[in-house]
Amino acid sequence: MSRVCEICKKKTVAGNQIETRGLAKWKGGVGKKITGKTKRKFKPNIQKVKALIDKKTVKRIKVCTRCISAGKVIKAL
């Protein structure tokens, strides 16, 4: 199952998880230092929804929750 929104084409993207140590300068320390970087993935919240396509046909599509809450998808009952 591909994790791609059919409305806005949002998909999985790669990034880094950064580990730090030390005390922040504004707290009186010498600053935060990066001690490690690990690759990670940011995945969108994809839901399977029965939606009205062209206001007549009902089809099951994969949509992100941001598109659902924004009203870009009309749910079929």
Side-chain angles (χ1 to χ4, degrees):
M1 181 173 134
S2 66
R3 198 180 280 259
V4 179
C5 176
E6 293 185 28
I7 304 293
C8 65
K9 309 297 185 222
K10 186 184 285 186
K11 58 184 180 180
T12 303
V13 293
N16 287 320
Q17 178 179 337
I18 298 172
E19 269 187 72
T20 58
R21 65 180 291 175
L23 191 64
K25 285 185 178 181
W26 67 275
K27 286 186 173 178
V30 294
K32 303 277 257 176
K33 305 288 189 265
I34 295 173
T35 59
K37 285 185 189 175
T38 308
K39 287 298 239 183
R40 60 160 289 185
K41 291 179 182 175
F42 294 92
K43 295 182 178 180
N45 191 355
I46 300 291
Q47 307 290 322
K48 279 187 178 177
V49 174
K50 280 186 180 178
L52 284 172
I53 308 296
D54 299 328
K55 296 184 180 179
K56 52 188 170 187
T57 57
V58 176
K59 189 178 175 186
R60 180 166 281 176
I61 59 174
K62 288 181 257 182
V63 188
C64 66
T65 52
R66 184 177 282 186
C67 289
I68 294 170
S69 62
K72 295 179 182 177
V73 178
I74 302 167
K75 283 189 175 182
L77 296 176

